[in-house]
Amino acid sequence: MSILSFSSSRLALVVGLLGLLFWLQPSSAVAQFSSDTSPELRQQLEQADELRVEGELRETLTTLRSLQRDHPDNVDIQWRIAIIWVDLSTAADERHTRRSLAENALDAAEKALEMNSSNAWANLSRAVAAGQMARFAESTRDEVSHSRDIRTYAERALEIDSELALAYHLRARWHREVSKLGFVQRAVVSTVYGGLPSASMDQAIEDFERAIELEYRAFHHLELARTYVDVSRKDDARQELQRALDAPRTDPFDPRYKSEARDLLDEIQ
């Protein structure tokens, strides 16, 4: 395997992993609204969020499109549409379908930013759409570009809303995975593709810890544990895995997270 192809494989892992984030955390979008969204529309969006949590993705999209016909410039509808396209892309079976749906997600997220670039969730949806698109990039150059976008828009989301737990989680995973790039891979990416922003395991740990401060969720503890394993802090990893196992159920995928936590705990005992 050549240096370039190996570098591309690692970047694909980075951005592909991040592209799955919203599918794994469907309840994260619940009850997030901008100030110009009316109480009536908020209630309707909450109902759409509940459908999404239940896994009724196509029905959620239909509901959001119906609401959009009456509220064509509402950013809270638009970023949710971007997220549901990511969900549908992840759930699809065929690659060409997944890619087409990912393109829809990116287009919807960009429209959300056009509506309101100061909306934290619009920026976060753009970061997630970049992660999903990177799974289907045809070149390492495109992968690098999408990877930059993941970090850029996650950080913009945090500049707007410093208590957006999922943005911390997203940025933490970016730091963790990019930190795993070897020296030669970094050199190739820097020389040929203009490089990536600096990354560190310390920042990944700090961001996961901040996400945990904001939300007690199995998902955050599991990913922090994996990061501790990467830096040979197995005692800390065991503690986080136990916290993941003890965490209350907050979304439909918690059984999966807890199963993964149990498996990792058995592995590092």
Side-chain angles (χ1 to χ4, degrees):
M1 180 180 291
S2 72
I3 291 173
L4 283 178
S5 63
F6 186 71
S7 177
S8 177
S9 295
R10 165 51 66 184
L11 286 167
L13 171 62
V14 172
V15 292
L17 181 67
L18 294 171
L20 294 172
L21 189 55
F22 266 102
W23 174 247
L24 296 176
Q25 291 230 108
S27 63
S28 297
V30 174
Q32 301 293 329
F33 305 108
S34 56
S35 59
D36 59 349
T37 297
S38 68
E40 180 182 1
L41 180 55
R42 290 187 184 198
Q43 184 177 14
Q44 292 170 318
L45 288 174
E46 286 175 348
Q47 292 171 351
D49 291 338
E50 290 172 2
L51 282 175
R52 183 171 178 262
V53 171
E54 293 168 1
E56 301 293 340
L57 303 181
R58 282 290 176 184
E59 188 174 349
T60 302
L61 179 61
T62 299
T63 298
L64 291 172
R65 283 175 158 173
S66 177
L67 292 173
Q68 192 173 50
R69 285 194 288 271
D70 294 329
H71 309 275
D73 299 320
N74 185 273
V75 69
D76 290 334
I77 299 173
Q78 186 63 43
W79 67 253
R80 280 173 167 82
I81 289 175
I83 297 304
I84 205 67
W85 281 126
V86 172
D87 292 341
L88 289 165
S89 172
T90 305
D93 294 326
E94 298 182 2
R95 179 180 173 84
H96 75 276
T97 301
R98 295 198 303 270
R99 175 168 182 157
S100 176
L101 295 170
E103 290 171 348
N104 290 347
L106 185 63
D107 181 63
E110 289 177 344
K111 287 179 180 177
L113 285 175
E114 289 173 5
M115 290 178 180
N116 186 352
S117 61
S118 297
N119 183 281
W121 280 86
N123 280 275
L124 191 57
S125 71
R126 178 62 176 81
V128 175
Q132 191 72 356
M133 276 299 301
R135 301 174 67 194
F136 310 103
E138 297 180 352
S139 68
T140 303
R141 187 181 301 277
D142 287 343
E143 289 179 341
V144 170
S145 176
H146 290 310
S147 183
R148 290 195 195 103
D149 285 348
I150 293 168
R151 174 165 169 171
T152 294
Y153 288 101
E155 290 192 334
R156 287 183 186 176
L158 288 172
E159 289 171 2
I160 297 165
D161 183 356
S162 62
E163 296 189 350
L164 192 53
L166 190 54
Y168 284 108
H169 187 119
L170 182 61
R171 189 172 68 177
R173 292 178 76 167
W174 185 94
H175 273 277
R176 183 182 68 196
E177 298 304 324
V178 173
S179 292
K180 294 180 184 179
L181 288 171
F183 175 80
V184 174
Q185 293 168 301
R186 288 176 182 273
V188 170
V189 171
S190 177
T191 301
V192 181
Y193 303 108
L196 288 166
S198 60
S200 76
M201 285 294 192
D202 287 343
Q203 186 62 56
I205 291 170
E206 181 179 331
D207 282 347
F208 279 129
E209 289 176 342
R210 180 59 176 143
I212 286 169
E213 288 176 4
L214 294 166
E215 293 181 340
Y216 181 26
R217 304 188 66 176
F219 188 60
H220 298 321
H221 290 285
L222 173 60
E223 293 302 326
L224 177 56
R226 286 176 169 151
T227 310
Y228 281 146
V229 171
D230 286 337
V231 296
S232 301
R233 292 173 56 178
K234 290 188 177 180
D235 287 342
D236 291 327
R238 292 185 190 98
Q239 291 180 8
E240 293 304 320
L241 290 169
Q242 189 58 54
R243 288 168 182 155
L245 292 172
D246 293 340
R249 179 165 182 164
T250 56
D251 68 52
F253 291 91
D254 272 339
R256 178 190 300 178
Y257 306 149
K258 295 193 177 191
S259 176
E260 292 175 4
R262 289 188 193 94
D263 289 345
L264 183 54
L265 188 58
D266 289 342
E267 182 180 331
I268 64 174
Q269 289 289 13

